[in-house]
Amino acid sequence: MNQIKIYDIAGAAGVSLATVSRVLNHPEKVKEATRNRVLKIIREKGYKPNANARGLASRRSTSVAIVIPSISRASVAEMIQGIDESAKKYGYTIRLFISDESSDPVDMWSEVIASSVDGILFMNDETNEETYKEIKNTPVPVVFVNNISNSDQFGSVSIDYEECAYKITKEMIDRGNKKILFIDTEHKYSVNALKRKGYNKAMMEANLPKRVLFSSGNIDINELDFTSEIEKDVPEVVLAVRDSMAISFMNVASKKGIKVPDELQVIGFQNTRYAVLSNPKLTCIETPIYEIGSKSMSYLTEMMKDENSRDKKAANILIDYNVVWRGSTK
Amino acid sequence: MNQIKIYDIAGAAGVSLATVSRVLNHPEKVKEATRNRVLKIIREKGYKPNANARGLASRRSTSVAIVIPSISRASVAEMIQGIDESAKKYGYTIRLFISDESSDPVDMWSEVIASSVDGILFMNDETNEETYKEIKNTPVPVVFVNNISNSDQFGSVSIDYEECAYKITKEMIDRGNKKILFIDTEHKYSVNALKRKGYNKAMMEANLPKRVLFSSGNIDINELDFTSEIEKDVPEVVLAVRDSMAISFMNVASKKGIKVPDELQVIGFQNTRYAVLSNPKLTCIETPIYEIGSKSMSYLTEMMKDENSRDKKAANILIDYNVVWRGSTK
DNA sequence: CTGAAAGCGCTTACAG
DNA sequence: CTGAAAGCGCTTACAG
């Protein structure tokens, strides 16, 4: 019942605690025979060092914080899976912090730091100057997940949102489409702004009129917005910043008797599980969110083990994406 | 840059560390004037006690573990939101552990314990005898989330899956339907077994033939299974353990020209966000997963603060659910 | 109401 | 290669 301590192992193995500790932390410093004896007992008793004590004494907690916004989105779960896979590999444990409007972000950030994690994975889709100011004095490495950092101090891992929006728009233009509608969220997200920028660029280059609809996160409002947009003029192609919006648009159009993909083609971003549950199935730019998670964690690991990482410029790592063509496009 | 310590606060306030500590942990024991002076300085300097040191000294970490299976499911994110809301209220911090096939579950569980959390929220949908044996000697309270515990030692918070499956099946029978297909997962989940039990009971009572299809978690295999099931005989009603399976079935049927809900009615479990993205929208038993999360956490809090909780029988708490009727049923 | 001191379970220079 | 000892940053009886 009572948790086993390092003393118990030391006693059973006939060595000092220092030696047990070394077996765990610097095994190469312990004679093989001793090491094996100690390891055997550790295994037998199922000893696990107390994380708090270890963290306090070593000033390294082998734990990292994931900081995510409250908005529950399809992507978060998968991202965490990716992080976890990588964290397991490197022996890190995860503390989860969910920021929301009600809690003071600065307060939250200092709570994260007080939890003495060795590094922070920060997922925040509204990164602005304020944000950078708040987190400037963070004593441990920070990696932005699925977002691009504008500061040399913080690394980031994401896909090139601007480029992929540009390319897919251009592709649809090259296929002869002219009326291309871009659906963005009302709420401003830095990532969506990048997508819009890519779309804008492609449309401008082709001398086509930009057509952007900012809609809500709420499905019922979406449907109203989409209905009036369709009544105004049926686009040939819709590119939406979220799968769910793309599907919702498709459903509204279907109900009005518009044939997808013959009269209207629809493309989403992310390739969530929604994408294969629509009828027809949705063509998407696939955001490899799992990979973004695991890569973020492994990059963070690098930064954490590099003593000099504070003096180096942190990198913005871009992950490959690809387009999954399905029934919602020709 | 350097983190502030309790010493710094004590120095600045002209009191001992003991007093600062008391201000934080037992404010009623400190004279108001002193308390306010100390609090002011704490606020000014943005002091947050080091979580490791605090945990080590007090043997309470004010942190809890969430243990979830690797299978990324739509519900997990929302459940975590619910837990977090409640955790914030009670001042608890979250450590996240994701169990998967590759990692030894016993090993994982002892890692959870070594992290010195004050309690554990355990989400595991394949709870069997093995599981109970593994976690038997846990020194802190455990609450099963969205599952029912068979042991007096562990509490649980969920909805009454058997009852709601029974009631919805009975409701559809009372409306004159006879051919009711139940779609379960191939993989056995204790929660799904409860749903099936409820369905079975209703069908038996009405003297109707049970018809159960166990299908995979993979959408392509699902579609094949569903196609051949429909070709065998088109059911009047489909009740699926997951929204995604219900929607997938509906899509397969639609493609074959079967009209939903006129010829076929479809009902899902959970009411995920998928449910409103289908066409027609899906009728569901709504699992209040957010509420299950937050209730689990608040129940865990009760157990943690009750010194004698070990000697009491832990409760199985049932949360109200309701049925959301939408276009996929008449 | 407040302070001095012991102790939480570890790690890590420092000696040997 | 190993042990004795200091120390990590707190909390909490114990005195006063």
Side-chain angles (χ1 to χ4, degrees):
Chain A
M1 204 81 241
N2 275 309
Q3 273 327 105
I4 319 183
K5 321 256 155 81
I6 194 169
Y7 308 93
D8 305 323
I9 304 298
V15 295
S16 73
L17 355 171
T19 300
V20 178
S21 175
R22 271 187 216 105
V23 167
L24 258 19
N25 301 300
H26 312 283
E28 74 288 354
K29 293 187 180 167
V30 180
K31 194 166 53 168
E32 192 174 339
T34 320
R35 196 198 312 152
N36 290 147
R37 185 151 41 93
V38 173
L39 278 175
K40 183 154 168 286
I41 297 181
I42 288 179
R43 239 176 282 119
E44 279 169 16
K45 306 221 173 204
Y47 167 69
K48 291 263 174 186
N50 177 292
N52 282 332
R54 178 177 235 187
L56 185 57
S58 67
R59 249 142 301 174
R60 306 187 330 105
S61 61
T62 57
S63 74
V64 297
I66 301 182
V67 180
I68 54 175
S70 76
I71 319 95
S72 139
R73 279 165 309 149
S75 53
V76 171
E78 209 177 334
M79 186 203 72
I80 291 180
Q81 298 278 346
I83 292 172
D84 184 68
E85 180 226 39
S86 202
K88 279 212 180 73
K89 192 156 67 193
Y90 296 104
Y92 282 89
T93 250
I94 295 170
R95 279 179 182 273
L96 187 66
F97 294 86
I98 306 183
S99 66
D100 56 25
E101 322 69 45
S102 68
S103 61
D104 178 7
V106 181
D107 218 62
M108 157 79 123
W109 198 259
S110 61
E111 200 183 326
V112 173
I113 293 169
S115 74
S116 45
V117 289
D118 297 339
I120 301 173
L121 293 168
F122 188 32
M123 188 181 192
N124 185 3
D125 12 45
E126 304 170 68
T127 321
N128 50 33
E129 284 315 306
E130 273 300 294
T131 317
Y132 286 105
K133 218 181 293 172
E134 278 162 18
I135 67 176
K136 198 178 51 174
N137 288 329
T138 307
V140 293
V142 177
V143 171
F144 287 23
V145 186
N146 197 26
N147 200 346
I148 294 175
S149 158
N150 292 323
S151 156
D152 284 351
Q153 191 188 151
F154 311 114
S156 72
V157 176
S158 98
I159 69 169
D160 192 332
Y161 283 104
E162 182 177 341
E163 187 198 89
C164 64
Y166 169 74
K167 283 203 177 160
I168 192 84
T169 307
K170 190 160 172 3
E171 169 77 27
M172 295 316 278
I173 294 171
D174 290 347
R175 291 187 186 188
N177 300 291
K178 293 194 186 331
K179 295 196 287 184
I180 304 179
L181 170 66
F182 184 85
I183 302 180
D184 199 342
T185 47
E186 217 166 51
H187 191 101
K188 297 289 171 285
Y189 295 106
S190 28
V191 163
N192 290 346
L194 291 174
K195 297 173 192 166
R196 200 173 60 243
K197 207 167 152 196
Y199 160 85
N200 283 343
K201 189 176 159 211
M203 295 301 272
M204 303 245 295
E205 280 182 10
N207 261 315
L208 291 173
K210 288 179 281 187
R211 185 169 160 198
V212 178
L213 172 64
F214 293 92
S215 187
S216 125
N218 175 299
I219 182 122
D220 295 322
I221 304 181
N222 279 345
E223 291 186 351
L224 290 176
D225 285 353
F226 295 167
T227 303
S228 67
E229 190 70 21
I230 288 173
E231 281 165 0
K232 224 185 290 169
D233 183 19
V234 180
E236 295 167 308
V237 175
V238 165
L239 179 60
V241 295
R242 288 186 187 166
D243 286 354
S244 56
M245 290 176 126
I247 293 172
S248 184
F249 194 97
M250 190 153 84
N251 288 340
V252 169
S254 294
K255 272 189 205 141
K256 286 192 150 308
I258 298 166
K259 297 269 172 283
V260 177
D262 293 336
E263 303 169 59
L264 166 69
Q265 300 183 71
V266 181
I267 302 172
F269 257 96
Q270 185 115 315
N271 196 28
T272 52
R273 296 207 277 170
Y274 301 125
V276 290
L277 291 175
S278 65
N279 189 9
K281 292 178 182 167
L282 187 69
T283 290
C284 301
I285 287 113
E286 178 178 38
T287 313
I289 194 78
Y290 182 92
E291 205 187 331
I292 288 178
S294 76
K295 181 66 191 170
S296 299
M297 181 63 208
S298 69
Y299 180 42
L300 185 62
T301 311
E302 269 177 51
M303 293 175 83
M304 291 187 296
K305 79 175 168 213
D306 182 356
E307 283 298 312
N308 310 314
S309 75
R310 318 207 100 260
D311 309 322
K312 292 186 189 159
K313 279 179 63 162
N316 289 323
I317 298 175
L318 294 175
I319 300 278
D320 286 343
Y321 61 90
N322 60 296
V323 180
V324 184
W325 296 96
R326 297 201 185 90
S328 71
T329 47
K330 295 189 260 204
Chain B
M1 205 78 243
N2 275 308
Q3 272 327 105
I4 320 184
K5 320 255 155 80
I6 195 170
Y7 307 92
D8 305 323
I9 304 297
V15 295
S16 73
L17 357 171
T19 300
V20 179
S21 176
R22 272 189 216 101
V23 167
L24 258 17
N25 299 301
H26 313 282
E28 73 288 353
K29 292 186 180 168
V30 180
K31 194 164 54 167
E32 193 175 338
T34 321
R35 195 198 313 151
N36 290 147
R37 185 151 42 93
V38 173
L39 278 175
K40 182 155 169 285
I41 296 181
I42 288 179
R43 238 175 284 118
E44 280 170 14
K45 304 219 175 204
Y47 168 68
K48 292 264 173 187
N50 176 293
N52 283 332
R54 178 176 234 185
L56 184 58
S58 67
R59 249 141 301 168
R60 307 187 328 105
S61 61
T62 58
S63 73
V64 297
I66 301 181
V67 180
I68 54 176
S70 77
I71 319 97
S72 142
R73 277 166 309 149
S75 52
V76 171
E78 210 176 333
M79 188 203 71
I80 291 181
Q81 299 278 344
I83 292 173
D84 184 68
E85 180 226 37
S86 203
K88 278 210 180 75
K89 192 154 68 194
Y90 296 105
Y92 283 89
T93 251
I94 295 170
R95 277 179 184 273
L96 187 66
F97 294 86
I98 305 183
S99 66
D100 56 26
E101 322 68 47
S102 68
S103 61
D104 178 7
V106 181
D107 217 62
M108 158 80 121
W109 198 259
S110 62
E111 200 184 326
V112 173
I113 293 169
S115 74
S116 44
V117 290
D118 297 339
I120 301 174
L121 293 168
F122 188 33
M123 188 181 193
N124 185 3
D125 12 45
E126 303 170 68
T127 322
N128 50 32
E129 285 314 308
E130 273 299 295
T131 318
Y132 286 105
K133 216 180 294 171
E134 278 163 17
I135 67 177
K136 199 178 51 174
N137 288 329
T138 307
V140 293
V142 178
V143 171
F144 287 23
V145 186
N146 198 26
N147 200 346
I148 293 175
S149 158
N150 291 324
S151 157
D152 284 351
Q153 190 188 154
F154 311 114
S156 71
V157 176
S158 98
I159 70 170
D160 192 333
Y161 283 105
E162 183 177 341
E163 187 198 89
C164 64
Y166 170 75
K167 284 202 174 160
I168 192 84
T169 307
K170 190 160 171 3
E171 169 77 27
M172 295 315 279
I173 294 171
D174 291 347
R175 292 186 185 188
N177 301 291
K178 292 195 187 329
K179 296 196 286 185
I180 304 179
L181 170 67
F182 185 85
I183 301 180
D184 199 344
T185 46
E186 217 166 50
H187 192 101
K188 297 290 172 284
Y189 295 106
S190 29
V191 163
N192 290 346
L194 291 173
K195 297 174 192 166
R196 201 171 61 241
K197 208 168 152 195
Y199 160 85
N200 283 343
K201 190 176 159 213
M203 294 302 272
M204 303 245 297
E205 281 183 9
N207 262 316
L208 291 173
K210 289 179 282 187
R211 185 170 161 198
V212 179
L213 172 63
F214 293 92
S215 187
S216 123
N218 176 299
I219 181 120
D220 295 322
I221 303 180
N222 279 345
E223 291 186 351
L224 290 176
D225 285 353
F226 296 167
T227 303
S228 67
E229 191 69 21
I230 287 172
E231 281 165 0
K232 224 186 289 169
D233 182 19
V234 181
E236 294 165 309
V237 175
V238 165
L239 179 60
V241 296
R242 288 187 188 166
D243 286 353
S244 57
M245 289 175 126
I247 293 172
S248 184
F249 194 96
M250 188 154 84
N251 288 340
V252 169
S254 294
K255 272 190 205 141
K256 285 191 150 313
I258 297 166
K259 298 268 173 283
V260 178
D262 294 336
E263 302 169 60
L264 166 69
Q265 301 183 71
V266 182
I267 302 173
F269 258 95
Q270 186 115 315
N271 196 27
T272 50
R273 297 208 275 171
Y274 301 125
V276 290
L277 291 175
S278 65
N279 188 10
K281 291 177 184 169
L282 187 69
T283 290
C284 300
I285 287 115
E286 178 179 37
T287 313
I289 195 79
Y290 182 92
E291 206 187 332
I292 289 178
S294 76
K295 181 67 191 167
S296 299
M297 181 65 208
S298 67
Y299 180 42
L300 184 64
T301 312
E302 270 177 50
M303 294 175 83
M304 290 186 296
K305 79 176 167 213
D306 182 357
E307 283 297 313
N308 310 313
S309 74
R310 318 208 101 259
D311 310 322
K312 291 185 190 162
K313 280 179 63 165
N316 289 323
I317 298 175
L318 294 174
I319 300 278
D320 286 343
Y321 62 90
N322 60 297
V323 180
V324 183
W325 296 97
R326 296 202 185 89
S328 70
T329 48
K330 294 190 260 203

